[in-house]
Amino acid sequence: MREFEIRTDPIQINAPIGVVWTVLTEVDRYEEWNRFTPQVQTDFSIGSPAHLTVRMGPTRFRMTEYVCAFDKPRLIAWQTEFGARWLLRAVREQHLNPVDATSCSYYNSDTLTGVMAPMVSVCWGGYMRRGFVDVAEGLKAHAEAIHAGT
C-alpha cells in the first residue's frame, strides 16, 4: 500500500532535550503555545486514547487517536483509522534528537496509508504541514523561554 508522508524539516531548539520533552508532554498547557493542537488529553500509555482538538485552517476538529509510541525523551506517536485500515490510517510522530547538552532538534510527520490517503494528502496536506510548522515554532519559542528563565 502506498504511503503519503507530510513532514516538517527538523528545527533546532536551543534548550536541553529534557526541557523540550517536558513541554511536549505537558498536554494540559498546550493551549499556551500549540496553535495546531491546542487541546490534548492523554496519559501517553501505549494503546490509550489521545483526545485532540486540531485546527485545520479556520476549522477545529475534535478527534480521538491512540498512543502507539512513547520513547522518552525522543518519540511520541499516535494513530487512528478512519473506517477501516484499508480506507485510511494516519500515524503522527513527533521526534526529538539531542544536538548537544543545551540543544536538540524536533520534527513531526504524519504517514497516511489506505485508499483515501491520496485524497486526504491533496485536500488537507497543506493545512497539516502548516500546522506542523506551527507546532515546531511554538515548541521552540516556549521551550527556549523556559530554558532562559523567562
Side-chain angles (χ1 to χ4, degrees):
M1 191 173 308
R2 188 158 175 226
E3 292 184 349
F4 294 80
E5 184 179 43
I6 298 159
R7 177 184 170 135
T8 60
D9 292 329
I11 187 171
Q12 183 162 327
I13 301 175
N14 297 313
I17 195 169
V19 170
V20 181
W21 180 261
T22 297
V23 171
L24 200 55
T25 57
E26 288 181 338
V27 293
D28 56 326
R29 299 187 70 184
Y30 267 28
E31 201 159 18
E32 296 174 17
W33 62 270
N34 190 334
R35 294 187 317 216
F36 181 62
T37 317
Q39 296 176 330
V40 174
Q41 295 174 316
T42 188
D43 64 8
F44 292 111
S45 298
I46 302 298
S48 69
H51 303 288
L52 314 168
T53 299
V54 178
R55 185 175 297 149
M56 296 276 226
T59 306
R60 283 186 174 204
F61 295 95
R62 292 189 53 76
M63 57 182 57
T64 300
E65 300 193 12
Y66 295 89
V67 177
C68 59
F70 189 81
D71 182 15
K72 180 182 179 178
R74 295 182 177 253
L75 172 67
I76 297 171
W78 41 63
Q79 66 184 2
T80 192
E81 294 175 7
F82 296 89
R85 179 175 276 219
W86 61 268
L87 189 59
L88 180 64
R89 180 173 185 244
V91 180
R92 166 88 186 281
E93 296 181 346
Q94 298 182 79
H95 294 265
L96 288 173
N97 293 301
V99 172
D100 56 35
T102 60
S103 66
C104 62
S105 67
Y106 170 83
Y107 74 91
N108 55 128
S109 67
D110 206 328
T111 303
L112 307 169
T113 55
V115 297
M116 298 292 292
M119 185 185 77
V120 171
S121 181
V122 168
C123 293
W124 296 100
Y127 287 123
M128 293 167 71
R129 189 170 290 103
R130 177 72 245 165
F132 292 170
V133 168
D134 288 346
V135 171
E137 291 172 351
L139 179 62
K140 175 181 174 63
H142 197 69
E144 288 178 353
I146 289 170
H147 180 59
T150 60

